[in-house]
Amino acid sequence: MTLSRFLSRRQFCLLPPPPHRPQALFILGMSDFSEELIKSTTEDDQGERCELSGTGMHFPWLQKHIETVATGGKKEKDFAQTTSACLSFIQEALLKHQWQQAAEYMHSYLQVLEDSDSCKRQAAPEIIWKLGSEILYYHPKSNVEAFNTFADRMKNIGVMNYLKISLQHALYLLHHGMLEDANRNLSQAETWRYGEKSSSQEVLINLIQAYKGLLQYYAWSKKKMELSQLDKDDYAYNTASQNMLDHSWKTSVNLGALIQIPGVWDPFVKGYVEMLEFYGDQDGAREVLTNYAYDEKFPSNPNAHIYLYNFLKREKAPREKLISVLKILYQIVPSHKLMLEFHRLLRKSEKEEHHKLGLEVLFGVLDFAGCTKNITAWKYLAKYLRQTLMGSHLAWVQEEWSSRKNWWPGFHFSYFWAKSDWKEDKALACEKALVAGVLSGKGCRYFRYISKQDHQVFRKKIKRMKKLVKKYSIVNPGL
Amino acid sequence: MDFPGSLRPTVFMTGPLGLSDVPDMSFMCSWRDALTLPESLPQNSENGVPHVAKGLLWEPETPGPLPLLPPGPDPWHPGLTAQDLLFRGGHPFQKQPRVVLDVTEQLSRFLWDHGDIAFAPLGKLMLENFKLEGARSRSKKKTVVSVKRLLQDLDGHQPWGCPWAYLSYRQRRFSILGGPILGKSVANLLGDLLHEELVTRWEQLLLDDAFTGGALAWVPGKTPRVGQLVYPAGSTLDKLYFQEVSLTPGGNPQVLRDPGHIQLRGPVRQVVTRTVQGESLLAVRSDYHCALWKISRQGRPAPLQVLQVEKGATGISLSPHLPGELAVCSRSGAICLWTPQDGLRRVYKDPDTLVFRDPSPWRWADFTAHPRVLTVGDRTGVKIVDTQGPPGCGLLLFRGGAEASCQKGERVLLTQYLGEGSPESLHSTLHLICTQFSLYLVDERLPLVPMLKWNHGLPSAPLLARLLPPPGPGCPRPLLLGGQDGQLQLLHITGEEASTPRLAGPPQSLPSRNDSLSAFPVLEPKSQWRLQERLKAPTIGLAAAIPPSASTPILSLFQLSAAGDVFHQCLRLQADPGPDSCAPTVSWSPQATACCSQWLKALLEVPPAPPVWAAPTFSHRRLLGCVEQREVEGKVPEGLRAAMAEGRLLQQRDLGSLPTAEPPPAPEPGPDDELSKRLEAAWEGRAAAWWERRQGWSSGPRQQPKRHKRRTQLSSTFSSLSGRLELSDATSPPPSPDPEARPRPPGTPPSQELAQEHWARGVPSERQQTLRDYMAKLPLREDPLEDASAPPSQTSSIRATRSRQRTLQDNTAKPPLQMDTPEGVSVPPSQTSSIWATRSRQRTLQDNTAKPPLQRDTPEGAFVPSSQTSSIQATPSRQQTPVLSGSQRIRKKPRMGF
C-alpha cells in the first residue's frame, strides 16, 4: 500500500514532460544544462572546502567535525535540513533492510526535486534513482511493473541520467528475463541525443548498443538452435537462415563499436566471435580476438587470451601458435588451469627450450596457494621430473628448485601437510612425496612420513616411490 | 585455479582521480551488482533467475552490543576534539564554514600560562632596555622602559582577552619597542611548530591510521567453540590481554577465567593472528616495535621475535601460507619480510607513493595467493611485488584513478588479502581495498579492474575488515566492515570459483556501541555524559567467530574500543524471511540490562581521568582555590569562601571575629580588617578611592624605623618565633622575600632600600611577583642552593605555583609600601645561607600557624634549602588540585602538550 502511495505521489509531483513533446524537452534541457554548468563549478568549490590543505584527501566526515565547532556561518535552511535528514533516514532504513520504511521516507524525500538550491536539485534525480530503484528491487511487494513505471519517470527528470537509467532499466529487465522489453528500452535509448555528444555519453550509447547487440545475439543463438533442428532441404530453412543473416549484420554493427573501446567486454566478444565464426569470417573473428587480447589500451584480461586460445584451438592452429598464446597467459596468470594443457603442449614440442618451459610452468602452477592440492599438477610434476632427470637436465631442475628450496619445504612438504594429505587424499600424498623426495632428498619430512605409511593399496606405489627417489633425488645423499 | 569465464562488462579508462568524463560505474547500486546476464542461451534465464536470496539478513539478538568484560581500572579520556583545534568564531559572510586551525588561541594560552618559558630568554637579551626595580633611570633614553610603570599600567587584574583593556602610552611605547622582538620571535619560533603540531593533531582527528587493521584478534582454540581474544587494554593500551572465551550454542560468549596479560613497552596498534598448518601465530604492532608470538595448543603465548622499526611501523601482516612469516611496513616506505629461515629481509623500498604524490607515510603490505609475492599499498594505490624478482619492479593491482572510477580526493585506507591460504577457500586471489568512499574487490589475476565496487557510505574511516568463512554450505561469506567511529556493515559476498564475486543481497548495517545506550539505566548528567563518551570511543578492533551450530548459523562479533572495552554481539542468520516479514525489532532482555548496569557500576567506580592542567583565567579563582587548600580551621576562610562562591557581599561579621579569635590579639588591627574594608569599599564601588586613600596613608616613610626595629627584633627573637609574632608582624611587612629572588642591580649600594621600596610602591602586587619571578631568571642571580635543591625540570613548576600563591598573598592584604624589602642586599655573601635557613624556617612556622586568612604566606620553593624542597614540591601539587577541580569546567580542555 505504501508502495502504491509512493508511486502515486511520484506521478503527482514529478510530472515529467512527455517525451514526445520536443519543445518541452528542449526547454527542460536548456534549464538543466545551465544547472549542469553550475553544478560543475560548485562541485569544485566544495571539493576545496572538504579537503585539508596539502594532503588533497577528502573526508566525508569533515562536515561533522566542523558542525561541532561552527557557531556562525549561514545556517542550512529548514528545507535543506529536513531533506538531508530524510536522506539519511532512507539510507539507514535500507541498511537495515526496512524496505517498507524506506519507501515511506522516500515518499517524503521527493520534495528535494523542488529544492531552490540548484546544485542539490541537480543531484537529486540520481540519488532518487539510486535509492528508489534499490527499494523497488528489494521491496517484498514490488513488481516489475512498479519498477518500470518508476524507471520511465526517472529517465525524464533531468537530461543527464536518461542513458544511465535506460541502461540499468534494461539490465533489470534482462535479469528478469524480459528480453523484448529490454530490447525496446535499449532501442529507445539508442536514438536519444542531447546536445553535443560528450565522450561519456558516447561510451554509454556504445554500451547501450552493445547490450542491444547482445540481445540480438541471444535471439540469434536461439534461432541457430532451431535451425540445427531443421532439415537443410526444408523451405523453412532458407528463410530462417536469411533471418539469421540479417541479425548478424545488425549485431556486428552494434557490437563492433563497443569492443573497440578499452574495457572488459567478455560477453560481447564471445557472442560476436561466435557469430563471425558461424558465418565463416574467421579472419574477422581472429582480428577481434587478437585486438581484444593484445591491445595495450585494454586491461590485461586473462579471458581475452583464453578466448583467443580456444579460437585457435578450434581453428586447429599449429602448436607453435598455441604455445605463443598460452605463453602470454602464463605470464599473466601462471595458476590458470589451462597451464596444465600448456605443459602438455610444451612437453610434446620438439624444442628443448619448450621442455624447459614445461618444467617451469608446472613449478609455477604449484607455487600458488589455490593449486596445492591439484593432483594432476603433482602427477605431471612427478612424471616430468623423472623424465627431465632421465634426460640429464639436472641443471633445469636445480634452477627451478634454487628459488624455491627455502620455502617449498615449509609450504608443501611440511609434516602437517604430510599428515593431512595422507588422511584426505592418499594418491595426492604419494605424488607429493615422490616430488618431495626427489627435490629435497630422503631426509624430507614429507617423504619420510609417507614412506613409513603402511597401506595395502598404496604399498606398491610407495615402494616404487622409494626406488625412484633413491635413483633420481637431486640431493646428493653423501651430503 | 579457474578464472571466471565471463567477466562483467566494464569500461576501462586510464587517467587521474575524479575524471568526470567516465561513465561512473559507482552509479550502480547494490542491486545492480546482483544482476546477471543470461548466459548465451536465453532459455536458461526464462525462469526468473532468483539468483539472489533477497532476504539474507543477519539479525542481531540484542539492539546493541553488550560489554563482555568489566571496564579496566584505568581512567580514559576521549582526547582532543574539533573544538580544541578549530577556530570557533563565526564567519558571517561565508556560505560554508571553513576549517581554520586556532593557532592564536593556543599560542596566547601558552604565552599566558608559561610566559616565563616564552619570554625569559628574550628578557635576558633585552635586559638593557628595561629599567628594573630600584635602578634609577639615569639615562633618559627612549629605549629604556621602566618595568615598574609598565606593570603598574597592566594593572594586574586583567581578564584574558579582555576587549576593554586599557592601553597606556607607556605600554604603547613598550609594544613599539618590544613588539618586533617579543611579538615576532616568539610567534615565529613557536608559531610554526605549534601550527605544525596542530595540523598533525587535526589530521589525526580526521584520520587516525595508527589502528589500521585492528587491535583485536580471535585465536581459535582446541575446539571450535573455545578461543582466545587478544587485545590491548590499559590507559595507554600497552598491556596485551589474552582472554579465553567460550561460545555457547546460543551464541552468548562466556568468559573463562581471568585474562593473562603481557606488559609491553609501547601502545599496541595492531594485533594479527593466523593459524597456518595448525600453528597459531600472533603478531603485534606497536609504534616502533613489532613482535611475534606463537600460541601453543594450550593457548599460552611464547615469544618468537621482536623487531624494532626505527621510522615507525605502519602495518604488519602474517603470511597465510608459511608459518611464522610476516611482512612489516615502515613509515620510510620500506617493506620487510621476516622469515624464520632468512630473518629480516627488505623486499621493497620507495619513499614515494605509487601513483601520484601523497604526503602520507602510511604503507601497508599483505600477502597474495603466491607465497613469495606481496602487495604493497599506500594511499594512492596497491602494487604487487615479487620478493624474489629484481627490486622495485611490480605490477599495479589497484590505482587510485579513473580505472576504478575513483572520486576526487579518494585515498586507500585499508588493503587486505582475503584468501586464507588453504586451497579450499574460493577467494584465494581476491584483495579487499577500502577507501573513504568505496569498497573494492580486486582479483590479482586481473589487476586494475575491480571485480566489485560498492559505495559503503560509512561516516568514518573504514579501517577494519574481516572476511568470515561461509556460515553454512552454499551460504555467501560475510564480510564485516568497521568504521572508526563504531559503525559496522556486513556484506554478503558470493561467487564460486568460476564466477565473479558478487554481493548476495543488499549490505546491512549492524548496531554500534552507541545503540547500547538504551540498555543502561538513566544516570545523572555527568555520569551519563561519561557513559556516552565511553560508548562513543573509537573502535580499534574487530573480531568475529562463527561457532558451529546445529540450527541457524550464529555470528559472534567482538569489538574493541579505544577505551579498552570489549563488546560483544550475537547475530543470527535469517536466510529467507517471508515476503511480509520486515526486519523484526528486538528488545533488551533482562539479562542484558543487568549485564549493562553491572558494567556501568564498575565503570563509575573508575576514577575519572585526571584533568589536564588548565590555567584559571580570573585571578579570583586563584584566590578561591588557595583559600580552599589551606587547612586552616576557622570561620573566616569558610565565610569568605561561601561569600565568594555565592558572589555576595563579604561583610564584616563574616570575618570580624578573627582578630579576637586569634590569641593573642595583634598589636595593630589585623590586615583582615583592612581587607574587609577594602572589600566593602569594592562592593560599594568605591575601591579606587579606598586605594588612593590607602596609598596616601601608607606611602609615607613613617613606618621605616619601626620596620627596622621589627626586623632586628625578628632576627634576635628568632628562636622563640611563633605564629603570634609573625602575626604581629604581618601588619607591617611580612617577612620579606629572599635576596636572590630579586636581583641586585649591579653596583647598587645597600642603602638603596628606600629606592627599592619605591619600586614596590604602586606596582600592582600581582605584577610585582611576576616581575620578581622574571628577574629571578635573569643571569644576575647567583643561586647555588636552588639549583641544588630542585631538579631543573621541576624548578619552573615550583616557581609557577609559588608565584601564584605569592600573588594571592600580595594581592590582598599587604600595605603596598611595606612590602618585601630586599634585605639580602645588605647581607654579606657569607651569611646568606644562614639567613635563608632562618627565613625558611620562619616560613614554615608561619604556614603552620593560624593566620589571617588572606594574608597567607607561601611555601617558596626556590628559596628553601634543600632539606625542605621535597615537602614543598609536594605541597604545591597537592594544593593545586582543588584549583583545578574548582575551575568548574565540565570538559577539561586538553592542552597542546604544554
Side-chain angles (χ1 to χ4, degrees):
Chain A
M1 184 209 135
T2 323
L3 193 74
S4 58
R5 231 176 55 205
F6 162 58
L7 285 168
S8 64
R9 163 77 196 221
R10 292 217 37 63
Q11 284 161 9
F12 166 71
C13 103
L14 297 181
L15 285 179
H20 54 263
R21 271 166 50 197
Q23 210 176 356
L25 181 68
F26 176 72
I27 290 162
L28 177 81
M30 279 308 284
S31 70
D32 275 17
F33 185 64
S34 57
E35 278 178 5
E36 204 79 354
L37 291 175
I38 293 163
K39 186 190 174 190
S40 64
T41 52
T42 48
E43 244 178 13
D44 286 349
D45 195 38
Q46 278 181 343
E48 273 162 36
R49 187 172 54 79
C50 288
E51 71 191 37
L52 183 73
S53 60
T55 64
M57 183 169 173
H58 280 216
F59 297 99
W61 46 89
L62 178 67
Q63 196 58 35
K64 192 180 69 189
H65 282 300
I66 293 178
E67 271 161 17
T68 62
V69 176
T71 47
K74 246 190 218 172
K75 281 263 158 33
E76 261 195 329
K77 280 185 201 144
D78 291 346
F79 184 79
Q81 277 177 5
T82 49
T83 48
S84 68
C86 188
L87 179 63
S88 62
F89 281 140
I90 297 172
Q91 283 162 340
E92 206 182 306
L94 284 180
L95 279 171
K96 285 182 176 159
H97 296 200
Q98 295 164 343
W99 314 117
Q100 202 88 29
Q101 220 158 344
E104 272 166 46
Y105 286 128
M106 193 70 203
H107 182 199
S108 315
Y109 184 67
L110 297 173
Q111 64 172 339
V112 78
L113 290 165
E114 289 140 39
D115 199 328
S116 58
D117 184 347
S118 65
C119 167
K120 280 197 178 138
R121 193 168 61 231
Q122 182 64 38
E126 192 170 318
I127 299 170
I128 292 176
W129 166 247
K130 251 189 199 179
L131 300 175
S133 64
E134 188 148 346
I135 295 169
L136 288 177
Y137 187 85
Y138 291 113
H139 199 289
K141 285 182 193 155
S142 162
N143 51 28
V144 180
E145 285 73 49
F147 194 94
N148 286 346
T149 323
F150 177 60
D152 284 337
R153 296 205 175 277
M154 284 314 294
K155 276 176 207 170
N156 292 308
I157 300 174
V159 282
M160 298 323 283
N161 301 315
Y162 186 87
L163 290 178
K164 288 180 188 175
I165 294 174
S166 293
L167 183 59
Q168 290 189 44
H169 186 201
L171 288 176
Y172 174 87
L173 293 169
L174 205 60
H175 175 74
H176 285 82
M178 300 163 75
L179 304 190
E180 265 132 64
D181 290 323
N183 195 25
R184 200 170 46 246
N185 241 298
L186 291 170
S187 305
Q188 261 176 27
E190 193 185 14
T191 52
W192 184 88
R193 285 287 180 283
Y194 165 70
E196 245 179 84
K197 232 201 284 182
S198 69
S199 70
S200 78
Q201 240 187 71
E202 202 176 319
V203 172
L204 275 172
I205 287 174
N206 277 330
L207 256 173
I208 284 166
Q209 284 174 343
Y211 272 106
K212 214 181 137 204
L214 195 69
L215 281 174
Q216 283 159 357
Y217 160 74
Y218 289 149
W220 175 84
S221 64
K222 200 176 168 186
K223 288 231 166 64
K224 194 176 98 176
M225 203 126 95
E226 283 166 12
L227 197 64
S228 65
Q229 285 154 4
L230 285 175
D231 188 11
K232 273 201 178 176
D233 301 325
D234 199 336
Y235 170 73
Y237 180 84
N238 275 328
T239 46
S241 64
Q242 188 58 41
N243 227 335
M244 277 179 74
L245 216 63
D246 291 352
H247 265 300
S248 156
W249 180 78
K250 271 195 269 172
T251 312
S252 63
V253 168
N254 282 332
L255 288 173
L258 180 76
I259 55 184
Q260 302 298 321
I261 301 170
V264 176
W265 309 125
D266 289 358
F268 306 125
V269 170
K270 247 174 146 175
Y272 191 36
V273 166
E274 195 187 330
M275 290 171 81
L276 288 175
E277 268 187 276
F278 184 82
Y279 291 107
D281 189 2
Q282 305 294 336
D283 294 337
R286 191 180 308 113
E287 201 196 316
V288 166
L289 284 172
T290 316
N291 183 51
Y292 190 50
Y294 296 141
D295 193 330
E296 281 188 353
K297 283 188 224 117
F298 281 67
S300 72
N301 183 356
N303 279 336
H305 302 274
I306 295 163
Y307 295 161
L308 181 61
Y309 171 74
N310 287 334
F311 171 77
L312 292 174
K313 217 167 102 179
R314 281 195 298 271
E315 226 190 13
K316 306 236 174 348
R319 188 191 294 146
E320 204 59 23
K321 184 93 191 158
L322 293 176
I323 286 176
S324 72
V325 174
L326 285 182
K327 216 172 185 170
I328 292 167
L329 183 66
Y330 167 64
Q331 271 149 22
I332 305 172
V333 191
S335 62
H336 199 272
K337 63 174 181 183
L338 271 181
M339 286 304 113
L340 295 178
E341 206 171 318
F342 183 39
H343 166 77
R344 283 200 299 272
L345 282 173
L346 292 167
R347 205 167 56 191
K348 280 183 213 152
S349 164
E350 286 88 36
K351 283 190 189 167
E352 187 133 286
E353 58 174 290
H354 283 170
H355 293 166
K356 193 181 169 209
L357 187 62
L359 187 70
E360 206 184 305
V361 167
L362 280 181
F363 270 105
V365 168
L366 289 169
D367 276 348
F368 283 88
C371 306
T372 50
K373 297 207 171 170
N374 189 334
I375 186 165
T376 328
W378 284 110
K379 226 180 230 165
Y380 280 5
L381 184 61
K383 202 171 146 196
Y384 200 62
L385 270 177
R386 206 178 65 203
Q387 211 175 318
T388 315
L389 290 168
M390 262 161 66
S392 63
H393 289 299
L394 179 66
W396 295 357
V397 180
Q398 270 169 343
E399 191 187 313
E400 291 304 318
W401 182 239
S402 66
S403 64
R404 293 179 172 89
K405 68 179 172 208
N406 59 353
W407 61 277
W408 263 41
F411 182 53
H412 286 306
F413 307 139
S414 65
Y415 185 68
F416 175 86
W417 284 130
K419 252 172 47 177
S420 88
D421 286 346
W422 182 255
K423 208 166 132 192
E424 284 167 22
D425 190 349
K426 296 193 170 52
L428 171 76
C430 286
E431 298 297 340
K432 267 179 90 172
L434 176 58
V435 174
V438 169
L439 292 173
S440 46
K442 274 198 278 185
C444 172
R445 289 176 117 186
Y446 198 96
F447 175 74
R448 271 195 345 229
Y449 182 85
I450 303 294
S451 58
K452 273 183 207 152
Q453 300 301 319
D454 190 32
H455 193 277
Q456 47 186 2
V457 180
F458 289 92
R459 194 173 293 151
K460 216 172 144 190
K461 210 169 181 180
I462 290 171
K463 209 172 167 188
R464 201 176 130 253
M465 178 185 87
K466 281 185 195 166
K467 224 171 87 187
L468 285 172
V469 167
K470 205 173 174 186
K471 199 169 165 194
Y472 293 113
S473 178
I474 61 166
V475 180
N476 193 341
L479 290 174
Chain B
M1 282 181 289
D2 211 352
F3 191 76
S6 180
L7 299 169
R8 197 185 303 280
T10 336
V11 185
F12 182 75
M13 289 231 177
T14 50
L17 295 157
L19 206 63
S20 56
D21 233 11
V22 186
D24 183 15
M25 291 301 167
S26 67
F27 185 66
M28 299 162 179
C29 338
S30 77
W31 65 266
R32 165 71 175 77
D33 197 77
L35 295 181
T36 46
L37 284 179
E39 276 303 310
S40 56
L41 293 179
Q43 281 88 334
N44 296 354
S45 61
E46 287 295 325
N47 37 8
V49 213
H51 284 290
V52 178
K54 278 191 177 181
L56 207 60
L57 182 76
W58 284 94
E59 187 201 319
E61 290 212 321
T62 47
L66 293 173
L68 179 71
L69 301 164
D74 296 318
W76 178 76
H77 191 268
L80 290 172
T81 60
Q83 280 117 311
D84 301 320
L85 296 171
L86 299 186
F87 184 62
R88 289 190 296 271
H91 304 270
F93 304 111
Q94 267 169 21
K95 194 180 169 192
Q96 298 283 358
R98 272 175 191 274
V99 173
V100 183
L101 289 176
D102 200 352
V103 182
T104 336
E105 185 186 330
Q106 296 289 349
L107 193 64
S108 57
R109 276 188 177 276
F110 171 70
L111 295 182
W112 187 256
D113 299 337
H114 301 275
D116 45 354
I117 297 171
F119 295 116
L122 278 168
K124 280 179 201 166
L125 292 174
M126 293 175 66
L127 199 62
E128 57 192 37
N129 298 104
F130 288 112
K131 192 179 73 155
L132 296 175
E133 49 171 324
R136 203 182 291 278
S137 71
R138 292 214 178 80
S139 65
K140 291 286 174 196
K141 270 195 273 179
K142 292 265 174 166
T143 52
V144 176
V145 174
S146 161
V147 172
K148 184 193 79 178
R149 296 273 175 199
L150 201 63
L151 293 175
Q152 211 170 359
D153 291 343
L154 282 174
D155 194 34
H157 187 82
Q158 195 179 74
W160 179 75
C162 172
W164 291 281
Y166 165 72
L167 214 67
S168 71
Y169 78 94
R170 263 185 239 99
Q171 278 171 298
R172 202 162 287 130
R173 189 153 65 99
F174 173 69
S175 72
I176 290 166
L177 180 68
I181 306 168
L182 283 177
K184 274 185 196 157
S185 60
V186 174
N188 284 359
L189 285 170
L190 209 66
D192 285 352
L193 294 172
L194 184 64
H195 188 259
E196 204 177 298
E197 172 73 10
L198 285 174
V199 167
T200 331
R201 296 292 182 110
W202 169 240
E203 279 175 4
Q204 212 171 27
L205 188 71
L206 282 178
L207 175 66
D208 188 4
D209 56 13
F211 291 103
T212 307
L216 178 68
W218 170 260
V219 184
K222 273 179 278 184
T223 62
R225 291 205 177 282
V226 182
Q228 272 189 87
L229 281 176
V230 184
Y231 59 94
S235 56
T236 46
L237 297 173
D238 57 351
K239 272 185 192 161
L240 190 65
Y241 281 86
F242 294 80
Q243 174 69 62
E244 214 167 307
V245 172
S246 140
L247 300 168
T248 58
N252 287 321
Q254 278 178 343
V255 176
L256 307 173
R257 72 185 102 120
D258 284 342
H261 77 263
I262 297 175
Q263 178 75 46
L264 302 175
R265 286 248 190 97
V268 173
R269 304 293 187 195
Q270 193 189 349
V271 179
V272 190
T273 182
R274 290 261 192 199
T275 303
V276 187
Q277 301 186 8
E279 204 172 291
S280 290
L281 290 156
L282 182 78
V284 166
R285 166 171 65 89
S286 179
D287 286 338
Y288 294 95
H289 291 90
C290 295
L292 183 66
W293 280 272
K294 188 180 161 174
I295 309 247
S296 69
R297 290 191 69 80
Q298 286 75 40
R300 295 243 168 77
L304 288 183
Q305 179 94 4
V306 178
L307 306 171
Q308 193 187 345
V309 187
E310 234 164 65
K311 287 277 169 67
T314 56
I316 189 169
S317 40
L318 274 169
S319 167
H321 312 295
L322 287 160
E325 205 171 272
L326 54 92
V328 182
C329 326
S330 123
R331 276 178 194 282
S332 62
I335 312 290
C336 292
L337 188 69
W338 188 82
T339 53
Q341 302 90 26
D342 303 348
L344 202 63
R345 193 160 64 90
R346 198 173 77 187
V347 293
Y348 183 82
K349 164 105 195 195
D350 189 2
D352 295 327
T353 42
L354 293 170
V355 181
F356 50 88
R357 197 176 290 273
D358 187 272
S360 171
W362 179 83
R363 296 290 182 278
W364 198 258
D366 211 333
F367 289 83
T368 64
H370 191 298
R372 278 289 164 274
V373 176
L374 295 180
T375 58
V376 173
D378 59 34
R379 291 270 176 258
T380 63
V382 182
K383 197 175 182 180
I384 314 177
V385 173
D386 186 357
T387 61
Q388 292 179 324
C393 73
L395 196 69
L396 271 182
L397 176 70
F398 177 83
R399 220 181 102 104
E403 288 87 349
S405 350
C406 292
Q407 294 181 43
K408 198 176 157 198
E410 190 162 347
R411 296 289 185 275
V412 175
L413 297 180
L414 175 74
T415 79
Q416 199 169 341
Y417 172 52
L418 295 181
E420 275 110 16
S422 62
E424 287 86 21
S425 77
L426 301 172
H427 302 288
S428 66
T429 51
L430 279 188
H431 293 260
L432 169 79
I433 289 159
C434 284
T435 67
Q436 68 269 48
F437 303 115
S438 302
L439 168 150
Y440 303 85
L441 288 185
V442 189
D443 193 305
E444 63 188 52
R445 296 169 294 184
L446 177 63
L448 298 178
V449 185
M451 289 267 187
L452 187 151
K453 174 174 178 172
W454 189 67
N455 206 332
H456 58 68
L458 281 177
S460 62
L463 297 179
L464 310 163
R466 295 278 178 275
L467 182 71
L468 300 171
C475 287
R477 301 180 68 172
L479 173 66
L480 285 165
L481 193 64
Q484 209 168 14
D485 288 353
Q487 302 88 358
L488 285 171
Q489 276 185 12
L490 195 149
L491 287 84
H492 315 275
I493 306 286
T494 182
E496 297 73 46
E497 201 178 351
S499 69
T500 50
R502 287 184 295 115
L503 287 178
Q508 74 178 93
S509 69
L510 303 180
S512 70
R513 268 173 294 125
N514 256 336
D515 295 321
S516 300
L517 194 64
S518 57
F520 291 92
V522 178
L523 298 165
E524 38 97 12
K526 208 174 162 190
S527 306
Q528 184 78 11
W529 173 81
R530 218 174 127 192
L531 173 67
Q532 275 175 13
E533 285 280 300
R534 189 92 173 187
L535 292 177
K536 259 195 264 167
T539 303
I540 58 166
L542 190 65
I546 299 184
S549 85
S551 50
T552 49
I554 288 172
L555 190 143
S556 262
L557 183 68
F558 300 95
Q559 33 180 317
L560 173 71
S561 80
D565 300 325
V566 178
F567 276 62
H568 165 263
Q569 174 131 45
C570 188
L571 304 155
R572 219 171 264 279
L573 184 64
Q574 299 283 309
D576 227 347
D580 287 326
S581 75
C582 57
T585 48
V586 282
S587 56
W588 295 105
S589 66
Q591 293 100 310
T593 45
C595 166
C596 285
S597 20
Q598 209 179 351
W599 185 84
L600 182 65
K601 209 178 143 201
L603 176 72
L604 293 179
E605 275 165 17
V606 175
V612 190
W613 182 79
T617 322
F618 289 93
S619 44
H620 85 265
R621 292 237 171 113
R622 303 178 193 188
L623 210 65
L624 187 62
C626 286
V627 168
E628 279 171 350
Q629 292 144 28
R630 291 306 171 102
E631 284 159 30
V632 181
E633 252 64 49
K635 191 184 163 196
V636 181
E638 270 167 22
L640 179 65
R641 210 177 303 142
M644 287 183 82
E646 290 166 37
R648 70 177 161 81
L649 185 63
L650 187 71
Q651 286 171 342
Q652 179 66 50
R653 61 184 143 88
D654 292 327
L655 307 163
S657 60
L658 180 74
T660 46
E662 299 272 333
E668 290 175 39
D672 33 294
D673 271 352
E674 218 167 79
L675 172 79
S676 53
K677 273 179 202 151
R678 179 178 165 191
L679 284 171
E680 269 170 16
W683 281 113
E684 284 157 27
R686 288 186 276 109
W690 178 85
W691 183 248
E692 265 166 35
R693 201 171 61 234
R694 179 82 205 147
Q695 264 187 318
W697 168 66
S698 59
S699 61
R702 64 185 167 93
Q703 287 191 355
Q704 287 310 311
K706 208 173 167 186
R707 197 163 171 229
H708 264 292
K709 197 175 125 204
R710 195 164 289 131
R711 191 162 64 226
T712 43
Q713 209 180 14
L714 191 79
S715 49
S716 64
T717 56
F718 184 74
S719 54
S720 63
L721 190 73
S722 73
R724 288 155 213 171
L725 180 75
E726 188 65 21
L727 198 78
S728 69
D729 200 47
T731 41
S732 51
S736 57
D738 37 280
E740 93 282 55
R742 186 162 323 152
R744 276 164 279 174
T748 314
S751 62
Q752 268 199 347
E753 212 171 73
L754 219 145
Q756 286 180 1
E757 281 187 31
H758 211 74
W759 160 84
R761 178 181 23 158
V763 177
S765 42
E766 245 183 36
R767 294 289 166 186
Q768 278 180 14
Q769 187 55 48
T770 316
L771 180 60
R772 213 171 294 130
D773 285 343
Y774 169 61
M775 286 189 298
K777 298 222 171 55
L778 292 180
L780 305 168
R781 175 178 56 130
E782 279 146 36
D783 178 15
L785 268 180
E786 189 206 22
D787 289 341
S789 60
S793 63
Q794 288 192 343
T795 1
S796 65
S797 71
I798 292 172
R799 216 170 274 140
T801 36
R802 172 168 52 88
S803 70
R804 216 160 303 121
Q805 290 176 334
R806 287 297 296 249
T807 314
L808 158 74
Q809 162 207 0
D810 298 346
N811 206 6
T812 44
K814 247 175 293 160
L817 178 71
Q818 297 169 355
M819 296 200 44
D820 340 3
T821 31
E823 302 134 304
V825 176
S826 58
V827 180
S830 61
Q831 290 186 355
T832 329
S833 64
S834 72
I835 285 180
W836 280 354
T838 45
R839 190 157 302 118
S840 68
R841 241 185 305 157
Q842 280 175 17
R843 287 287 147 84
T844 328
L845 280 166
Q846 181 189 6
D847 284 348
N848 292 340
T849 46
K851 265 183 301 174
L854 289 176
Q855 200 216 347
R856 284 306 128 53
D857 213 331
T858 40
E860 292 165 348
F863 315 138
V864 180
S866 51
S867 62
Q868 290 197 343
T869 328
S870 63
S871 71
I872 280 163
Q873 280 173 7
T875 340
S877 65
R878 181 169 49 80
Q879 290 183 342
Q880 203 52 40
T881 339
V883 181
L884 295 165
S885 60
S887 66
Q888 293 186 352
R889 295 188 184 191
I890 293 172
R891 198 185 164 90
K892 301 300 177 307
K893 199 175 184 69
R895 311 306 302 277
M896 297 299 315
F898 294 124

